[in-house]
Amino acid sequence: MQEPRLQTDDLWWMSRKERYIRACERGELFVKIVRENNIPFEERYPLELLLGEDLFILLHDVMFAPTLMNLADEEQQGWWLQKALNYDILGTYAQTELTHGSNVRGIKTTAEYEENLFEEGGWHIHTPSLEAVKWWPGGLGKSCNCCILMARVIIKGKDYGPHPFFFQVRDWETHASLPGIELRDIGAKLGYNGMDNGAMRISHVNIPRRNMLMKFVIVEKDGAYRKVGDDKMLFGTMTYTRLKISSGAGFNLAKAVTSTIRYSAVRRQFQMQRVVLGADIDNHLDDDEKDALASQDQLKLLVKPSKRTEAQVLDYSSQQFIIFPQLALAFAMHFAGQEAGKAYDAALLEFRASKFDALTEMHVLTSTLKAVSTVLMADGMEQCRKCMGGHGFLNAAGVGPQYLSALPQATYEGDFVVLSIQVGQQLLNAVSSKMMKGKKSNPKTPSLQYIYEYDPAKPSLPPKAAELDSLLQNHDFLMAALKSRANYIHFTSAQTFQEEVAAQGKMGAETLDTVKIELMRMTYAHAYVLYSDFFKKRLTELETQSPRVASVLKLVFELFCLTVMDQSYDRGGGFGDFVAAGVLPHNGQGQLLRRIKQLLKDIRPHAVPLVDGWNIPDFLLNSVLGRYDGRVYESLYESTRNEPLNETDISEGYYKHLQYLLHPERRRDEAAAARAAPAPSATPPGRL
């Protein structure tokens, strides 16, 4: 890395204040690069990944500017959009409050319309209670001078619910917070500490009427309220944000997998041992060996040392069994994020042409991927950290701190439970449309077509054991298995829901609550269908573009599918579901595991090239253990130079406390010396 300001290897030694100042420096450099090279807005996100950690620029580019693009009308875009794209103003997205996050419709910040404010009417913005304080918006604490504010629109006493506003929070020149606006950073977090997540309390602030974004909703000077198009687009920023979050999940996991696989290839532990259990000792040892071992205890007899050198940790099947499925998942999530991005771009063109048929599809797609990918990403990164052994617990190993910084992605902009309820309801709707209305498809949700093609009345017979070995290598069978299992979950959950409705005599929130666990399982099952579909699509493209690469990724694809079918990536599901769905025979787990073991062996020679193929630079991995050149132990030793405790040989703690712990008499001697010392003489008045 030639630019020292983009180095990240000293981040782990910094205080919170130093970390934020460094984020500001990196933000300045990022904007300088964008301006000097005229980098288009849509090409900036990959560059932001190279910053090494999230900072205020991310919220500006992922939430603030896209909201202006999609929700501001043409005149409003003329006021603010170009300034936002050029970073002449810095904005964020202020929606979450102390007591309301996922339930957007429950936010309490108010925007009351007053016709006599300004020349054209205006809004009286107020935080009515402590519970309504905006809390968590990234960049709001110290960096941004404006935001998209979500507040409840109230006109002549009527509440129209949350709407977006352009809202200035700091002076354009001095950066001081404006009158009536109290801004704070909310404090240190487990990770993500380059970001100044903020709190905002608003006390009776007035803004012009046209500061409400009016592409899809218009409020006239007389207070007349009317919709233009689909008002669901008011929450379109959340769809885009969830897309961006899920698109980065595979890459975050890939960083952890890269460091872990490289380190596992360098690290050597134990010899490849030949295990000899007690009863078999006589069969494996010759007479000389028996005599040599006769004096040793039974425990030492269990393992016969090999003459070979210590083995690479990556050669152990137990290590492969943990890491390689995470490698497969990283590719699956990455490909899914890319394909979802293409679908969103196509849908956005329709939205801008006032065609909203793709809204439901985009909501289901981005919500599913955001909900599942972020949870699996976080779990996978922690699995990787644990696979790095004791050294993996060091900040310098990189994976732990990166895991903590990525961890909030599983929560913000909709956590798994909340999003799974929304996704699950759409899946239930699809089942209902098929079973109760006889529909064979829904063009508004093409990703759910496999539900309409499923016949729950048709008996599902599992393959015979003799057929299973070959089927586990058949991609069509693997994809069909994931869909059949998902449909089994969907249709049985729908049946459970109908039974609850019949039992309670009505359909309501309480009825839905009885199947929320099922909705969570449905969301996982649907996500695996999406991952496999998108992975297979990319594999098909590669078979033409790069057959050699495709031949290796084919193994990775199979391992992904079989991992879902064996123990799965989430807490539930796995083999039992596939047996219940009639996809696998009840006695087929041995064959399944045997195929997985073979795939681990086949992938092993390609493991390091596969992670190198991500082309993640060392400065971005920020891991002494995951270096491309393999200089693991030298780098680990050198990294301790950054530790502030190593600035001196004898620490301040010794002089203040440890010496008295070791030599308690010194404290007594110092006290005695202080008592014996003559008191300082007083200076006579008038003398210097």
Side-chain angles (χ1 to χ4, degrees), residues 26-102:
R26 295 158 84 86
E28 179 190 10
L29 180 60
F30 171 83
V31 171
K32 180 175 182 289
I33 293 172
V34 168
R35 288 171 174 168
E36 290 180 350
N37 295 278
N38 295 315
I39 299 176
F41 178 77
E42 59 274 9
E43 296 179 12
R44 297 174 190 176
Y45 184 68
L47 181 61
E48 289 178 43
L49 293 177
L50 296 179
L51 292 175
E53 66 171 347
D54 293 347
L55 45 112
F56 57 89
I57 290 292
L58 181 71
L59 272 295
H60 179 94
D61 284 349
V62 172
M63 301 195 77
F64 178 73
T67 301
L68 294 178
M69 292 178 185
N70 298 325
L71 300 186
D73 64 29
E74 188 173 340
E75 183 181 33
Q76 292 172 322
Q77 290 185 11
W79 297 337
W80 305 310
L81 182 55
Q82 192 54 47
K83 292 180 179 179
L85 296 179
N86 197 45
Y87 306 104
D88 297 325
I89 57 176
L90 287 175
T92 184
Y93 193 86
Q95 175 173 286
T96 300
E97 297 175 353
L98 263 176
T99 60
H100 285 90
S102 301

Coordinates of all heavy atoms in Angstrom, one line a residue, residues 26-102:
R26 N -9.5 9.5 6.1 CA -9.7 8.6 4.9 C -10.9 9.1 4.1 O -10.9 8.9 2.9 CB -10.0 7.2 5.5 CG -8.8 6.6 6.2 CD -9.2 5.5 7.2 NE -9.4 4.2 6.5 CZ -8.4 3.4 6.3 NH1 -7.2 3.7 6.7 NH2 -8.6 2.2 5.7
G27 N -11.9 9.7 4.7 CA -13.0 10.2 4.0 C -12.6 11.4 3.1 O -13.0 11.5 1.9
E28 N -11.7 12.2 3.6 CA -11.2 13.3 2.8 C -10.4 12.8 1.6 O -10.6 13.3 0.4 CB -10.3 14.2 3.6 CG -9.7 15.4 2.8 CD -8.6 16.1 3.6 OE1 -8.2 15.6 4.7 OE2 -8.2 17.2 3.1
L29 N -9.6 11.8 1.8 CA -8.8 11.2 0.7 C -9.7 10.5 -0.3 O -9.5 10.6 -1.5 CB -7.8 10.2 1.3 CG -6.9 9.5 0.3 CD1 -6.1 10.5 -0.5 CD2 -6.0 8.4 1.0
F30 N -10.8 9.8 0.2 CA -11.7 9.2 -0.7 C -12.4 10.2 -1.7 O -12.4 10.0 -2.9 CB -12.8 8.4 0.1 CG -13.9 7.9 -0.8 CD1 -13.8 6.7 -1.4 CD2 -15.1 8.6 -0.9 CE1 -14.8 6.2 -2.2 CE2 -16.1 8.1 -1.6 CZ -16.0 6.9 -2.3
V31 N -12.8 11.3 -1.1 CA -13.5 12.3 -1.9 C -12.5 12.9 -2.9 O -12.9 13.2 -4.0 CB -14.2 13.3 -1.0 CG1 -14.7 14.5 -1.8 CG2 -15.3 12.7 -0.2
K32 N -11.3 13.1 -2.4 CA -10.3 13.7 -3.3 C -10.1 12.8 -4.5 O -10.0 13.3 -5.7 CB -9.0 13.9 -2.5 CG -7.8 14.5 -3.3 CD -6.6 14.7 -2.4 CE -5.5 15.3 -3.2 NZ -4.8 14.4 -4.1
I33 N -10.0 11.5 -4.3 CA -9.8 10.6 -5.4 C -11.0 10.6 -6.4 O -10.9 10.6 -7.6 CB -9.6 9.1 -4.9 CG1 -8.3 9.1 -4.1 CG2 -9.7 8.1 -6.0 CD1 -8.1 7.7 -3.4
V34 N -12.2 10.6 -5.8 CA -13.5 10.7 -6.6 C -13.5 11.9 -7.5 O -13.8 11.9 -8.7 CB -14.7 10.6 -5.7 CG1 -16.0 10.9 -6.5 CG2 -14.8 9.2 -5.0
R35 N -13.2 13.1 -6.9 CA -13.2 14.3 -7.6 C -12.2 14.4 -8.7 O -12.5 14.8 -9.8 CB -13.1 15.5 -6.6 CG -14.3 15.7 -5.7 CD -14.0 16.8 -4.7 NE -15.2 17.1 -3.9 CZ -15.2 17.8 -2.7 NH1 -14.0 18.2 -2.2 NH2 -16.3 18.0 -2.1
E36 N -10.9 14.0 -8.4 CA -9.8 14.1 -9.3 C -10.0 13.2 -10.5 O -9.5 13.5 -11.6 CB -8.5 13.9 -8.6 CG -8.1 15.0 -7.6 CD -6.8 14.7 -7.0 OE1 -6.3 13.5 -7.1 OE2 -6.3 15.6 -6.3
N37 N -10.7 12.0 -10.3 CA -10.8 11.0 -11.3 C -12.2 11.0 -11.9 O -12.5 10.1 -12.7 CB -10.4 9.7 -10.8 CG -8.9 9.6 -10.4 OD1 -8.1 9.4 -11.2 ND2 -8.7 9.8 -9.1
N38 N -13.1 11.9 -11.5 CA -14.5 11.9 -12.0 C -15.1 10.6 -11.9 O -15.7 10.1 -12.9 CB -14.5 12.5 -13.4 CG -14.0 13.9 -13.5 OD1 -14.4 14.8 -12.7 ND2 -13.1 14.2 -14.4
I39 N -15.0 9.9 -10.8 CA -15.6 8.6 -10.7 C -17.1 8.6 -10.6 O -17.6 9.3 -9.7 CB -15.0 7.8 -9.4 CG1 -13.5 7.7 -9.6 CG2 -15.7 6.5 -9.2 CD1 -12.8 7.1 -8.4
P40 N -17.8 8.0 -11.5 CA -19.3 8.1 -11.4 C -19.8 7.5 -10.1 O -19.2 6.6 -9.5 CB -19.7 7.2 -12.6 CG -18.5 7.1 -13.5 CD -17.3 7.2 -12.6
F41 N -21.0 8.0 -9.7 CA -21.5 7.6 -8.4 C -21.7 6.1 -8.3 O -21.4 5.5 -7.3 CB -22.9 8.3 -8.2 CG -23.6 7.9 -6.9 CD1 -23.2 8.4 -5.7 CD2 -24.6 7.0 -6.9 CE1 -23.8 8.1 -4.5 CE2 -25.3 6.6 -5.8 CZ -24.8 7.1 -4.6
E42 N -22.2 5.4 -9.4 CA -22.5 4.0 -9.3 C -21.2 3.2 -9.3 O -21.3 2.0 -9.0 CB -23.3 3.6 -10.5 CG -22.7 3.8 -11.9 CD -23.0 5.3 -12.4 OE1 -23.5 6.1 -11.7 OE2 -22.7 5.5 -13.6
E43 N -20.0 3.7 -9.5 CA -18.8 3.0 -9.4 C -18.0 3.2 -8.1 O -16.9 2.7 -8.0 CB -17.9 3.3 -10.6 CG -18.5 3.0 -12.0 CD -17.7 3.4 -13.2 OE1 -16.5 3.7 -12.9 OE2 -18.2 3.3 -14.3
R44 N -18.6 4.0 -7.2 CA -17.8 4.3 -6.0 C -17.9 3.3 -4.9 O -17.0 3.2 -4.1 CB -18.4 5.7 -5.5 CG -18.2 6.8 -6.4 CD -18.8 8.1 -5.9 NE -18.8 9.1 -6.9 CZ -19.4 10.3 -6.8 NH1 -20.0 10.6 -5.7 NH2 -19.4 11.2 -7.8
Y45 N -18.9 2.5 -4.9 CA -19.1 1.5 -3.8 C -17.9 0.5 -3.7 O -17.4 0.3 -2.6 CB -20.4 0.7 -3.9 CG -20.7 -0.2 -2.8 CD1 -21.0 0.3 -1.5 CD2 -20.7 -1.6 -3.0 CE1 -21.2 -0.6 -0.5 CE2 -20.9 -2.5 -2.0 CZ -21.2 -2.0 -0.7 OH -21.4 -2.8 0.3
P46 N -17.4 -0.1 -4.8 CA -16.2 -0.9 -4.7 C -15.0 -0.2 -4.1 O -14.2 -0.8 -3.4 CB -16.0 -1.4 -6.2 CG -17.3 -1.3 -6.8 CD -17.9 0.0 -6.2
L47 N -14.9 1.1 -4.5 CA -13.8 1.8 -3.9 C -13.9 2.0 -2.4 O -12.9 2.0 -1.7 CB -13.7 3.2 -4.6 CG -12.5 4.1 -4.2 CD1 -11.2 3.5 -4.5 CD2 -12.6 5.5 -4.9
E48 N -15.1 2.2 -2.0 CA -15.4 2.3 -0.5 C -15.0 1.1 0.2 O -14.6 1.2 1.4 CB -16.9 2.7 -0.3 CG -17.2 4.1 -0.7 CD -18.7 4.4 -0.5 OE1 -19.2 4.1 0.5 OE2 -19.3 5.0 -1.4
L49 N -15.1 -0.1 -0.4 CA -14.7 -1.3 0.3 C -13.2 -1.3 0.6 O -12.8 -1.9 1.5 CB -15.1 -2.5 -0.6 CG -16.5 -2.8 -0.8 CD1 -16.7 -4.0 -1.8 CD2 -17.2 -3.1 0.5
L50 N -12.5 -0.6 -0.3 CA -11.0 -0.5 -0.1 C -10.6 0.4 1.0 O -9.4 0.4 1.4 CB -10.3 -0.1 -1.4 CG -10.5 -1.0 -2.6 CD1 -9.8 -0.5 -3.8 CD2 -9.9 -2.4 -2.3
L51 N -11.6 1.1 1.6 CA -11.2 1.9 2.8 C -10.9 1.1 4.0 O -10.4 1.6 5.0 CB -12.4 2.9 3.1 CG -12.6 4.0 2.0 CD1 -13.8 4.8 2.3 CD2 -11.4 4.9 1.9
G52 N -11.4 -0.2 4.0 CA -11.0 -1.1 5.1 C -12.0 -1.1 6.2 O -12.0 -2.1 7.0
E53 N -12.8 -0.1 6.4 CA -13.8 -0.1 7.4 C -14.9 0.9 7.0 O -14.7 1.8 6.2 CB -13.3 0.2 8.8 CG -12.7 1.7 8.9 CD -12.4 2.0 10.4 OE1 -12.8 1.2 11.3 OE2 -11.7 3.0 10.6
D54 N -16.1 0.8 7.6 CA -17.2 1.7 7.2 C -17.0 3.0 8.0 O -16.6 3.1 9.1 CB -18.5 1.1 7.7 CG -18.9 -0.2 6.9 OD1 -18.3 -0.4 5.8 OD2 -19.8 -0.9 7.3
L55 N -17.3 4.1 7.2 CA -17.3 5.4 7.8 C -18.4 6.2 7.3 O -19.2 5.7 6.5 CB -15.9 6.1 7.6 CG -15.3 6.0 6.2 CD1 -15.3 7.4 5.6 CD2 -13.9 5.5 6.4
F56 N -18.5 7.5 7.7 CA -19.7 8.3 7.3 C -20.0 8.4 5.8 O -21.2 8.5 5.4 CB -19.5 9.7 7.9 CG -18.3 10.4 7.4 CD1 -18.3 11.2 6.3 CD2 -17.1 10.3 8.1 CE1 -17.2 11.8 5.8 CE2 -16.0 11.0 7.7 CZ -16.0 11.7 6.5
I57 N -19.0 8.2 5.0 CA -19.2 8.3 3.6 C -20.2 7.2 3.1 O -21.0 7.4 2.2 CB -17.9 8.2 2.8 CG1 -17.0 9.4 3.0 CG2 -18.1 7.9 1.3 CD1 -17.5 10.7 2.3
L58 N -20.1 6.1 3.8 CA -21.0 4.9 3.4 C -22.4 5.3 3.5 O -23.2 5.0 2.6 CB -20.7 3.7 4.2 CG -21.5 2.5 3.9 CD1 -21.0 1.9 2.6 CD2 -21.3 1.4 5.0
L59 N -22.8 5.9 4.6 CA -24.3 6.3 4.8 C -24.7 7.3 3.7 O -25.8 7.3 3.2 CB -24.5 6.8 6.2 CG -24.8 5.7 7.3 CD1 -26.2 5.1 7.0 CD2 -23.8 4.7 7.4
H60 N -23.7 8.2 3.5 CA -24.0 9.3 2.5 C -24.3 8.6 1.1 O -25.3 9.0 0.4 CB -22.8 10.2 2.4 CG -23.0 11.3 1.3 ND1 -23.4 12.6 1.7 CD2 -22.7 11.3 0.0 CE1 -23.5 13.3 0.6 NE2 -23.1 12.6 -0.5
D61 N -23.5 7.7 0.7 CA -23.6 7.1 -0.6 C -24.7 6.0 -0.8 O -25.2 5.8 -1.8 CB -22.3 6.5 -1.1 CG -21.3 7.6 -1.5 OD1 -21.7 8.7 -1.7 OD2 -20.1 7.3 -1.7
V62 N -24.9 5.3 0.3 CA -25.9 4.2 0.3 C -27.3 4.6 0.6 O -28.2 4.0 0.1 CB -25.4 3.0 1.2 CG1 -26.4 1.9 1.3 CG2 -24.1 2.4 0.7
M63 N -27.4 5.6 1.5 CA -28.8 5.9 1.9 C -29.2 7.4 1.6 O -30.3 7.6 1.1 CB -28.9 5.7 3.4 CG -28.7 4.3 3.8 SD -29.2 3.9 5.5 CE -31.0 3.7 5.3
F64 N -28.3 8.3 1.8 CA -28.7 9.7 1.6 C -28.9 10.1 0.1 O -30.0 10.5 -0.3 CB -27.6 10.6 2.3 CG -27.9 12.1 2.1 CD1 -28.9 12.7 2.8 CD2 -27.1 12.9 1.3 CE1 -29.1 14.1 2.7 CE2 -27.3 14.2 1.1 CZ -28.4 14.8 1.8
A65 N -27.8 9.9 -0.6 CA -27.9 10.3 -2.1 C -28.9 9.5 -2.8 O -29.7 10.0 -3.6 CB -26.5 10.2 -2.7
P66 N -29.0 8.1 -2.6 CA -30.0 7.4 -3.4 C -31.5 7.8 -3.0 O -32.4 7.7 -3.9 CB -29.8 5.9 -2.9 CG -28.3 5.9 -2.6 CD -28.1 7.2 -2.0
T67 N -31.7 8.3 -1.8 CA -33.0 8.7 -1.4 C -33.4 10.0 -2.2 O -34.5 10.2 -2.7 CB -33.1 9.0 0.1 OG1 -32.8 7.9 0.8 CG2 -34.5 9.5 0.5
L68 N -32.4 10.9 -2.4 CA -32.7 12.1 -3.2 C -32.9 11.7 -4.6 O -33.8 12.3 -5.3 CB -31.5 13.0 -3.1 CG -31.2 13.7 -1.7 CD1 -29.9 14.5 -1.8 CD2 -32.4 14.5 -1.3
M69 N -32.2 10.7 -5.1 CA -32.4 10.3 -6.5 C -33.8 9.7 -6.7 O -34.4 10.0 -7.8 CB -31.4 9.2 -6.9 CG -29.9 9.6 -6.9 SD -28.9 8.2 -7.3 CE -27.2 9.0 -7.2
N70 N -34.3 8.9 -5.7 CA -35.5 8.2 -5.9 C -36.7 8.8 -5.4 O -37.8 8.5 -5.8 CB -35.3 6.8 -5.3 CG -34.2 6.0 -6.0 OD1 -34.0 6.1 -7.2 ND2 -33.5 5.2 -5.2
L71 N -36.6 9.7 -4.4 CA -37.8 10.3 -3.8 C -38.0 11.8 -3.9 O -39.1 12.3 -3.6 CB -37.8 9.9 -2.3 CG -37.8 8.4 -1.9 CD1 -37.9 8.2 -0.4 CD2 -38.9 7.7 -2.6
A72 N -36.9 12.5 -4.3 CA -37.0 13.9 -4.5 C -37.5 14.2 -6.0 O -37.2 13.4 -6.9 CB -35.7 14.6 -4.3
D73 N -38.4 15.2 -6.1 CA -38.9 15.5 -7.5 C -37.8 16.2 -8.2 O -36.7 16.5 -7.7 CB -40.2 16.2 -7.5 CG -40.1 17.6 -6.8 OD1 -39.0 18.2 -6.8 OD2 -41.1 18.1 -6.2
E74 N -38.0 16.5 -9.5 CA -37.0 17.1 -10.3 C -36.4 18.4 -9.8 O -35.2 18.7 -9.8 CB -37.5 17.3 -11.8 CG -36.5 17.7 -12.8 CD -37.0 17.7 -14.2 OE1 -38.1 17.1 -14.4 OE2 -36.4 18.4 -15.1
E75 N -37.3 19.3 -9.3 CA -36.9 20.6 -8.8 C -36.1 20.4 -7.5 O -35.0 21.0 -7.4 CB -38.1 21.5 -8.5 CG -37.7 22.9 -8.0 CD -38.9 23.7 -7.6 OE1 -39.9 23.2 -7.2 OE2 -38.8 25.0 -7.8
Q76 N -36.5 19.5 -6.6 CA -35.7 19.2 -5.4 C -34.4 18.7 -5.7 O -33.4 19.0 -5.1 CB -36.5 18.3 -4.5 CG -37.8 19.0 -4.0 CD -38.7 18.0 -3.2 OE1 -38.8 16.8 -3.6 NE2 -39.3 18.4 -2.1
Q77 N -34.3 17.8 -6.7 CA -33.0 17.2 -7.1 C -32.1 18.3 -7.6 O -30.9 18.3 -7.3 CB -33.2 16.2 -8.2 CG -33.8 14.9 -7.7 CD -33.9 13.8 -8.7 OE1 -33.2 13.9 -9.8 NE2 -34.6 12.7 -8.4
G78 N -32.6 19.3 -8.2 CA -31.8 20.5 -8.7 C -31.2 21.2 -7.5 O -30.1 21.8 -7.6
W79 N -31.9 21.3 -6.4 CA -31.4 22.0 -5.2 C -30.3 21.2 -4.5 O -29.3 21.8 -4.1 CB -32.5 22.2 -4.2 CG -33.7 23.1 -4.7 CD1 -33.6 24.0 -5.7 CD2 -35.0 23.0 -4.2 NE1 -34.8 24.6 -5.8 CE2 -35.7 24.0 -4.9 CE3 -35.7 22.3 -3.2 CZ2 -37.1 24.3 -4.7 CZ3 -37.0 22.6 -3.0 CH2 -37.7 23.5 -3.7
W80 N -30.5 19.9 -4.4 CA -29.6 19.1 -3.4 C -28.8 18.0 -4.1 O -27.7 17.7 -3.5 CB -30.5 18.5 -2.3 CG -31.3 19.5 -1.6 CD1 -30.9 20.7 -1.0 CD2 -32.7 19.4 -1.3 NE1 -31.9 21.3 -0.4 CE2 -33.1 20.5 -0.6 CE3 -33.7 18.4 -1.6 CZ2 -34.4 20.8 -0.1 CZ3 -35.0 18.6 -1.2 CH2 -35.3 19.8 -0.4
L81 N -29.2 17.4 -5.1 CA -28.6 16.1 -5.6 C -27.2 16.3 -6.0 O -26.3 15.5 -5.6 CB -29.5 15.5 -6.7 CG -28.9 14.1 -7.2 CD1 -28.8 13.1 -6.1 CD2 -29.8 13.6 -8.3
Q82 N -26.9 17.3 -6.9 CA -25.6 17.5 -7.4 C -24.6 17.8 -6.2 O -23.4 17.3 -6.2 CB -25.5 18.6 -8.4 CG -24.2 18.6 -9.2 CD -23.8 17.3 -9.9 OE1 -24.7 16.6 -10.5 NE2 -22.6 16.8 -9.7
K83 N -25.1 18.6 -5.3 CA -24.2 18.8 -4.1 C -23.9 17.6 -3.4 O -22.8 17.4 -2.9 CB -24.9 19.8 -3.2 CG -25.1 21.2 -3.8 CD -25.8 22.2 -2.8 CE -25.9 23.6 -3.4 NZ -26.6 24.5 -2.5
A84 N -24.9 16.7 -3.3 CA -24.7 15.4 -2.6 C -23.7 14.5 -3.4 O -22.8 13.9 -2.8 CB -26.0 14.7 -2.4
L85 N -23.8 14.5 -4.7 CA -23.0 13.6 -5.5 C -21.5 14.1 -5.5 O -20.6 13.3 -5.6 CB -23.5 13.6 -6.9 CG -24.9 12.9 -7.1 CD1 -25.3 12.9 -8.6 CD2 -24.9 11.5 -6.6
N86 N -21.4 15.4 -5.3 CA -20.0 16.0 -5.2 C -19.5 16.2 -3.8 O -18.4 16.7 -3.6 CB -20.0 17.4 -5.9 CG -18.6 17.8 -6.3 OD1 -17.8 17.0 -6.8 ND2 -18.3 19.1 -6.0
Y87 N -20.3 15.7 -2.8 CA -19.9 15.8 -1.4 C -19.7 17.3 -1.0 O -19.0 17.5 0.0 CB -18.6 15.0 -1.1 CG -18.7 13.6 -1.6 CD1 -18.1 13.2 -2.7 CD2 -19.5 12.7 -0.9 CE1 -18.1 11.8 -3.2 CE2 -19.6 11.3 -1.3 CZ -18.9 10.9 -2.5 OH -19.0 9.6 -2.9
D88 N -20.4 18.2 -1.6 CA -20.5 19.6 -1.1 C -21.3 19.6 0.1 O -21.2 20.6 0.9 CB -21.0 20.5 -2.2 CG -20.2 20.5 -3.4 OD1 -18.9 20.4 -3.3 OD2 -20.7 20.6 -4.5
I89 N -22.2 18.7 0.3 CA -22.9 18.5 1.6 C -22.8 17.0 2.0 O -22.5 16.2 1.1 CB -24.4 18.8 1.4 CG1 -25.1 18.0 0.3 CG2 -24.7 20.3 1.2 CD1 -26.6 18.2 0.2
L90 N -22.8 16.7 3.2 CA -22.7 15.4 3.7 C -24.0 15.0 4.5 O -24.4 15.7 5.4 CB -21.5 15.2 4.7 CG -20.1 15.3 4.0 CD1 -19.0 15.2 5.1 CD2 -19.9 14.1 3.1
G91 N -24.6 13.9 4.1 CA -25.9 13.5 4.7 C -25.9 12.1 5.1 O -25.0 11.3 4.8
T92 N -26.9 11.8 5.9 CA -27.2 10.4 6.4 C -28.7 10.2 6.4 O -29.4 11.0 5.8 CB -26.6 10.2 7.8 OG1 -26.8 8.9 8.2 CG2 -27.2 11.1 8.8
Y93 N -29.1 9.2 7.0 CA -30.6 8.8 7.0 C -31.0 8.6 8.4 O -30.6 7.6 9.1 CB -30.7 7.5 6.2 CG -32.1 7.1 5.8 CD1 -32.7 7.6 4.6 CD2 -32.9 6.2 6.6 CE1 -34.0 7.2 4.3 CE2 -34.2 5.8 6.2 CZ -34.7 6.4 5.1 OH -36.0 6.0 4.7
A94 N -31.8 9.5 8.9 CA -32.3 9.5 10.3 C -33.7 9.0 10.4 O -34.7 9.7 10.3 CB -32.2 10.9 10.9
Q95 N -33.8 7.7 10.7 CA -35.1 7.0 10.8 C -35.2 6.4 12.2 O -36.2 6.7 12.9 CB -35.2 6.0 9.8 CG -36.5 5.1 9.9 CD -36.7 4.2 8.7 OE1 -37.0 4.7 7.6 NE2 -36.4 2.9 8.8
T96 N -34.3 5.6 12.6 CA -34.4 4.8 13.9 C -34.4 5.7 15.1 O -33.7 6.7 15.1 CB -33.2 3.8 14.0 OG1 -33.3 2.9 12.9 CG2 -33.3 3.1 15.3
E97 N -35.3 5.4 16.0 CA -35.4 6.2 17.3 C -35.1 5.2 18.5 O -34.9 4.0 18.3 CB -36.8 6.7 17.4 CG -37.1 7.7 16.3 CD -38.6 8.3 16.3 OE1 -39.4 7.7 17.1 OE2 -38.9 9.2 15.5
L98 N -35.0 5.8 19.6 CA -34.7 5.1 20.8 C -35.6 3.9 21.0 O -35.1 2.8 21.4 CB -34.7 6.0 22.1 CG -33.4 6.5 22.5 CD1 -33.6 7.5 23.7 CD2 -32.4 5.4 22.9
T99 N -36.9 4.0 20.7 CA -37.8 2.9 21.0 C -38.4 2.4 19.7 O -39.3 1.5 19.8 CB -38.9 3.4 21.9 OG1 -39.6 4.5 21.3 CG2 -38.4 3.9 23.3
H100 N -38.0 2.8 18.6 CA -38.6 2.3 17.3 C -37.5 2.1 16.3 O -36.9 3.1 15.9 CB -39.7 3.1 16.8 CG -41.0 3.0 17.5 ND1 -41.3 3.8 18.6 CD2 -42.0 2.1 17.4 CE1 -42.5 3.4 19.1 NE2 -42.9 2.4 18.4
G101 N -37.2 0.9 15.9 CA -36.3 0.6 14.8 C -36.9 -0.1 13.7 O -37.3 0.6 12.6
S102 N -37.2 -1.3 13.8 CA -37.8 -2.1 12.7 C -39.3 -1.6 12.4 O -39.7 -1.7 11.3 CB -37.8 -3.6 13.1 OG -36.5 -4.1 13.3

